[in-house]
Amino acid sequence: TILELAEKIKQLTGSTSDVEYVEEMPEDDPRQRCPDISRAKQKLGWEPKVKFKDLINLMVEEEYKSRGLEFKK
């Protein structure tokens, strides 16, 4: 869930920020996102090589590096 993602990022960064909820979403915003990668697998032979949890770690680490900061796992 998005909440789990936010909590993981908070944990990795040591943030004490609160997660804010938005009551109203744009009318065309989907209520639930569940991407289907079956077409990419079928037509391109593609599938993810990095697990989602590992991707989040990499993204946070790269953001730290881009700011000249040391990322401590």
Side-chain angles (χ1 to χ4, degrees):
T1 66
I2 298 297
L3 178 58
E4 291 170 329
L5 175 60
E7 293 297 336
K8 179 66 175 174
I9 292 171
K10 283 177 58 174
Q11 174 196 7
L12 288 170
T13 60
S15 172
T16 58
S17 299
D18 292 328
V19 176
E20 293 186 23
Y21 295 89
V22 177
E23 294 281 334
E24 294 183 30
M25 299 297 287
E27 190 173 308
D28 62 345
D29 190 70
R31 296 288 173 227
Q32 183 176 4
R33 292 169 177 85
C34 188
D36 179 3
I37 62 170
S38 62
R39 283 183 65 196
K41 285 182 180 180
Q42 177 188 16
K43 296 195 180 266
L44 306 172
W46 177 90
E47 53 186 86
K49 293 181 181 170
V50 179
K51 293 183 180 182
F52 185 72
K53 67 177 186 156
D54 297 331
L55 177 62
I56 298 305
N57 289 341
L58 289 170
M59 290 172 59
V60 170
E61 185 173 1
E62 286 303 314
E63 182 62 24
Y64 268 66
K65 285 181 184 177
S66 74
R67 295 172 185 236
L69 302 170
E70 182 182 347
F71 178 67
K72 298 177 184 175
K73 295 180 185 181

